[in-house]
Amino acid sequence: METKPVEWVEGKVRLIDQTKLPHREVFLELGRYQEVVAAIKTMKVRGAPAIGIAAAYGLALGAQSIRAAGKETFLRRFRAMAQTFAATRPTAVNLFWAIERMKRAAASGDDPARIKEALIAEAKRIDAENEAANRTLGRLGAELIEDGSTILTHCNTGPLATGGYGTALGVIRAAHEQGKRVRVYAAETRPLLQGARLTTWELMRLGIPVTLISDTMCGYFMARCQINYAIVGADRIAANGDTANKIGTYPIAVLAMEHGVPFYVAAPTSTLDLSIPSGKEIPIEERRPEEVTHIRGVPIAPPGVAAANPAFDITPHYFISAIITEKGILYEPYQARLKKLGHSGEKEA
Ligand code: MRU
């Protein structure tokens, strides 16, 4: 059985604390919505789709504690909670998309008791639809992968990041499930090491051969023709196809173009934000400098040194060979083809 990174269990939000992996599997049972907010901020749960699912369950949880006789008072308090979730992490649009869905579900109910039930059902639906989308995009994307390939991936895009199956990692595992022999180079993903800690852990459990490399080794292996494809996930895809993903993705895309390696982005349509024209408008999260000056709490730089910590970078659309979604595989010109898909991620909470 696959570990569900976040789920609704007997009126609580249960999640695996990803900051403890791979050495300890610690499950948290959160009974207050503020604890879910904190878990997203501190990246106990992380990855664009998983953050959206956690916020949806967190809002369902928070709604249960609202004491209001009438719908208007209920909705006012619910919207305030939604605002708290929207302020956790700015880049992954799946968060805002899920919050919008929950707000719509709340607004369409009749009275607080029914709305509370409807919100639990809506969060479960978001979770289930997301996993189904990942399975579909995985299967579609696997058609691009030839037997005997070596694939470079960055950050973590497996079940932990996505609520189920995976996006970029979903493509890789679908190819593996189809009987293709695939091997993976997992880039460690400084500063928080999602590649080293989480991607290797997931791939090893799936029985897919994986080699851990530092982020600085990507060019070395491409120059030696040891990588056939680079596949990554996405936190937000703008209307022109520009894509925000974990810091370190953009240099991989540039290297891939230089070495003639196809560079694929795999993401469900809940990651699209067609309301913004390009990557320039995507807000980039800046995190604490200590994440760079320390590794797992151990200082690696002189005390007091200045450190920058943008958590994501933007890969311009012209570096992307294809965008793999559950509704199909898209090629340039992305602008027109993304528009046809029709979904626009919601930004406001
Ligand atoms: O900061 P994180 O760990 O939440 O960032 C995660 C990523 O950048 C993933 O690559 C992205 O969310 C795609 S996951 C399907």
Side-chain angles (χ1 to χ4, degrees):
M1 266 290 280
E2 192 157 290
T3 306
K4 246 330 222 175
V6 45
E7 59 187 331
W8 181 261
V9 180
E10 291 170 11
K12 291 191 173 170
V13 179
R14 182 175 193 265
L15 51 88
I16 186 163
D17 183 347
Q18 298 191 34
T19 63
K20 301 280 192 294
L21 288 171
H23 303 298
R24 288 171 59 209
E25 290 180 36
V26 177
F27 286 86
L28 308 172
E29 294 199 351
L30 310 179
R32 297 172 58 239
Y33 84 91
Q34 294 92 337
E35 294 173 309
V36 184
V37 168
I40 296 173
K41 274 193 187 157
T42 55
M43 294 175 64
K44 289 183 168 63
V45 55
R46 40 121 331 255
I51 298 173
I53 294 164
Y57 282 131
L59 280 168
L61 179 68
Q64 310 307 310
S65 67
I66 297 176
R67 301 276 164 262
K71 181 174 169 180
E72 282 319 306
T73 315
F74 178 90
L75 286 184
R76 203 163 1 97
R77 295 192 187 150
F78 183 75
R79 287 197 194 107
M81 276 177 194
Q83 204 49 52
T84 315
F85 277 99
T88 50
R89 298 193 70 193
T91 304
V93 81
N94 309 63
L95 172 70
F96 305 99
W97 172 86
I99 292 172
E100 278 309 310
R101 269 190 63 163
M102 294 299 282
K103 279 167 62 178
R104 277 200 298 275
S108 63
D110 295 330
D111 62 83
R114 286 201 194 162
I115 295 173
K116 288 178 185 181
E117 286 304 310
L119 286 169
I120 297 172
E122 181 69 351
K124 287 183 177 171
R125 227 175 349 256
I126 288 172
D127 189 0
E129 284 173 15
N130 179 70
E131 178 163 347
N134 290 344
R135 285 183 185 276
T136 305
L137 76 85
R139 182 172 44 77
L140 294 175
E143 287 164 23
L144 298 171
I145 308 301
E146 280 185 24
D147 183 27
S149 303
T150 300
I151 300 165
L152 171 66
T153 192
H154 189 59
C155 196
N156 170 258
T157 63
L160 288 169
T162 63
Y165 201 72
T167 55
L169 198 140
V171 172
I172 294 166
R173 70 189 281 189
H176 171 77
E177 283 160 16
Q178 288 169 10
K180 292 176 182 166
R181 286 158 302 161
V182 289
R183 321 180 29 84
V184 177
Y185 279 106
E188 64 173 346
T189 319
R190 271 285 284 151
L192 294 183
L193 303 171
Q194 290 93 328
R197 295 187 301 106
L198 309 175
T199 300
T200 54
W201 182 75
E202 289 186 322
L203 286 168
M204 288 170 81
R205 280 162 53 121
L206 290 167
I208 300 174
V210 56
T211 302
L212 174 63
I213 61 172
S214 70
D215 301 331
T216 46
M217 295 174 192
C218 295
Y220 174 86
F221 287 110
M222 284 200 212
R224 292 165 66 108
C225 301
Q226 283 176 255
I227 291 171
N228 303 104
Y229 311 96
I231 312 182
V232 299
D235 288 82
R236 196 186 290 226
I237 300 174
N240 68 347
D242 289 356
T243 292
N245 192 51
K246 180 52 55 192
I247 193 78
T249 300
Y250 170 51
I252 292 176
V254 176
L255 281 166
M257 182 163 276
E258 169 68 15
H259 294 290
V261 173
F263 178 89
Y264 297 132
V265 170
T269 51
S270 55
T271 307
L272 302 180
D273 183 356
L274 304 186
S275 74
I276 53 170
S278 77
K280 286 197 195 81
E281 289 79 31
I282 299 179
I284 300 294
E285 178 180 11
E286 185 77 30
R287 293 185 61 86
R288 295 181 308 119
E290 289 74 19
E291 292 179 352
V292 176
T293 57
H294 292 61
I295 295 184
R296 305 276 245 156
V298 178
I300 55 160
V305 68
N309 191 10
F312 301 93
D313 57 25
I314 306 291
T315 299
H317 61 91
Y318 42 83
F319 286 105
I320 300 171
S321 312
I323 299 176
I324 302 162
T325 78
E326 79 280 14
K327 294 191 181 169
I329 300 175
L330 308 185
Y331 300 90
E332 290 273 26
Y334 293 119
Q335 183 98 37
R337 292 178 170 165
L338 284 168
K339 202 170 166 193
K340 268 201 195 148
L341 285 194
H343 166 73
S344 168
E346 304 284 348
K347 281 199 303 181
E348 302 301 327

